[in-house]
Structures are given as C-alpha cells and as structure tokens.
Amino acid sequence: MKIYLIPGLGYDERIFKNLDFQEFNVECINWTEPKQNETLHDFSIRIFENKQNGIENIILIGHSLGGIVSQEIATNYKIEKIILLSSIKSDEENPLHFRILKPLGIYKIFTKELCIRTVKYWGNKHGFETDEDKTLFKSMLSKQTNTYLRWALKELAIWKSPTLPSSTMLIQISGEKDKNFPIKLIDKPNYIIEKGNHIMCYKQPEKINEIILNEIKNGI
C-alpha cells in the first residue's frame, strides 16, 4: 500500500506536517507548473505518471484543490480510496465565489503578492489565526508562480466532476467552519469536523488523524 498526499491551491507538503501516518508509506505530490493550455484533468494525469509502478493498493489524500486533482487521477489510474480534506466531490458543491472567477475574468487579477500582502485582513476567517499560521501561508504561496495561481483558479471555476470507477471509494471530511467550501453546500459528507476550517488538517490534526488512520486500516 502507498499513500499519496496532494496539497491544495498554493499549499505544499507542510499543510500535512502535523498529521502522523505511523508506519505507512507516504509521499507528497507537490504542485508543478502547468503547461500552456493544459486542462486540470491532463495536469492531474501528468503529475501522477510513474507513481503507480505496480503498487496494488493506492490511497490519495487530497486537501482542497488537491482533492479535486485526486478525483481526476482516479479516472485514469487504479485508486483504492480517495480521502478528501476540506474539498468537494461534485461541481454542485463548488460555491459561487469560485464559479464566477472564470466568467467574470476575476482570476486574472490574482497574484501571490496580493494574497500575501492581504492575508492579515482575511486570514483569520480562513484558519490563519496566528502569526505563525500567516508566516507559513506566505512561505508556501511564495514558492508558486502567478501563472500557476491564475491557471488553478480558472480551472477550479470551470471544473466538472468526473465519474469515478465503482472500485474507488470516496471519503469526504468537511469542516463546519470552512469558508472556502461551505458545509451548507456539501451533500452528505462522511465526516464533519466541529469548528473545522479550511486548514483543519493543520490546525486540528488529532481529529483528522484518527479518521484517516481508521479509513486506511479499514482497507487493509
């Protein structure tokens, strides 16, 4: 068995750093630069090339946009289970504030510099409550390019959920206080984390860890 972690938009492996996967074989797939005119589906398939390598049982754990990428991967590769952290399983769960980014062209004005400068104003509502949280966010986002950021926001806005193979189990863990993907739009998540925000896997690792380990061991 192997577990692949896929961070959300603007994040890297550090969003998972407070989780403990014990003895399991875990690897993080960080974001890379998209190719010109590449779709999210094609991007997802590309970053997973050579990751299967004869491994029988693969679990994908995707945070936010990483959960969407996980679903795209599962359309081309044999994936036993997908665990969504602060993510969505259907385009019907995608909120209006993301869906309007493409038709209104709003994604074009987003830059990492703007996000980094303004996190002190919006960070608290999205889980970045302490100076340490905000510093971590700035560090993760600063590694990305504006080309990637705009591309990812555009692809999120137009994403249509794929049909997953019946052999792939999908587990959704949603936060009660998630402002990015509001719980009111999530249709019957498997788990709801009380007071959980969009970065609950970093801020409330004990609760998330217990669920994840149980789900992993259920597949053994």
Side-chain angles (χ1 to χ4, degrees), residues 6-15 30-32 43 63-66 111-112 115-116 122 128 134-146 148-153 156 180 198-199:
I6 307 178
L9 169 59
Y11 300 93
D12 61 26
E13 71 278 356
R14 287 173 286 179
I15 197 66
N30 281 314
W31 289 84
T32 187
F43 173 89
H63 169 250
S64 191
L65 188 58
T111 66
K112 63 181 179 181
C115 293
I116 288 172
W122 55 263
F128 304 103
K134 293 180 177 68
T135 298
L136 175 64
F137 171 77
K138 293 175 183 179
S139 176
M140 290 190 289
L141 189 59
S142 66
K143 294 169 57 180
Q144 316 299 337
T145 68
N146 288 325
Y148 149 76
L149 177 61
R150 291 167 180 151
W151 170 85
L153 289 172
L156 172 59
N180 292 52
H198 196 61
I199 57 169

Side-chain angles (χ1 to χ4, degrees), residues 30 56 68 78 102-103 113 154 173 185 201 215:
N30 281 314
E56 285 298 319
I68 290 174
K78 183 181 178 183
K102 172 63 167 60
E113 293 82 8
K154 181 189 69 173
I173 308 173
L185 297 179
C201 61
E215 287 295 340

Side-chain angles (χ1 to χ4, degrees), residues 2-207:
K2 184 152 187 179
I3 300 166
Y4 288 102
L5 310 176
I6 307 178
L9 169 59
Y11 300 93
D12 61 26
E13 71 278 356
R14 287 173 286 179
I15 197 66
F16 302 110
K17 73 174 189 175
N18 291 333
L19 299 179
D20 179 10
F21 293 96
Q22 299 179 358
E23 75 280 6
F24 293 104
N25 185 6
V26 178
E27 178 182 339
C28 186
I29 304 175
N30 281 314
W31 289 84
T32 187
E33 197 71 3
K35 295 180 179 180
Q36 187 173 7
N37 299 321
E38 189 171 33
T39 65
L40 185 64
H41 174 77
D42 290 343
F43 173 89
S44 303
I45 301 308
R46 178 167 64 87
I47 65 170
F48 203 72
E49 287 177 348
N50 304 317
K51 295 295 184 183
Q52 199 152 35
N53 291 331
I55 302 170
E56 285 298 319
N57 299 318
I58 294 178
I59 294 177
L60 302 180
I61 300 178
H63 169 250
S64 191
L65 188 58
I68 290 174
V69 167
S70 298
Q71 293 169 71
E72 295 294 338
I73 289 172
T75 64
N76 269 53
Y77 295 95
K78 183 181 178 183
I79 305 299
E80 179 181 345
K81 183 177 290 187
I82 296 172
I83 300 177
L84 302 178
L85 299 176
S86 307
S87 187
I88 55 176
K89 61 183 179 293
S90 164
D91 51 276
E92 294 181 356
E93 297 179 346
N94 202 6
L96 181 63
H97 58 249
F98 286 135
R99 289 188 284 112
I100 64 173
L101 293 177
K102 172 63 167 60
L104 297 184
I106 301 173
Y107 73 96
K108 296 178 182 178
I109 69 172
F110 274 83
T111 66
K112 63 181 179 181
E113 293 82 8
L114 176 64
C115 293
I116 288 172
R117 284 200 310 269
T118 59
V119 67
K120 59 185 175 183
Y121 301 112
W122 55 263
N124 287 356
K125 292 182 179 180
H126 293 269
F128 304 103
E129 300 162 329
T130 68
D131 289 341
E132 181 182 355
D133 297 338
K134 293 180 177 68
T135 298
L136 175 64
F137 171 77
K138 293 175 183 179
S139 176
M140 290 190 289
L141 189 59
S142 66
K143 294 169 57 180
Q144 316 299 337
T145 68
N146 288 325
T147 298
Y148 149 76
L149 177 61
R150 291 167 180 151
W151 170 85
L153 289 172
K154 181 189 69 173
E155 290 298 314
L156 172 59
I158 62 175
W159 180 65
K160 298 299 180 184
S161 43
T163 300
L164 296 180
S166 58
S167 57
T168 301
M169 182 178 294
L170 188 68
I171 302 297
Q172 187 176 33
I173 308 173
S174 299
E176 184 183 43
K177 300 295 183 180
D178 193 326
K179 299 295 184 181
N180 292 52
F181 295 121
I183 192 66
K184 66 181 181 181
L185 297 179
I186 306 299
D187 181 32
K188 299 176 182 178
N190 299 89
Y191 302 93
I192 298 176
I193 304 301
E194 184 179 0
K195 298 181 180 179
N197 55 44
H198 196 61
I199 57 169
M200 61 186 181
C201 61
Y202 175 77
K203 299 287 286 186
Q204 295 175 276
E206 295 85 3
K207 295 179 181 180

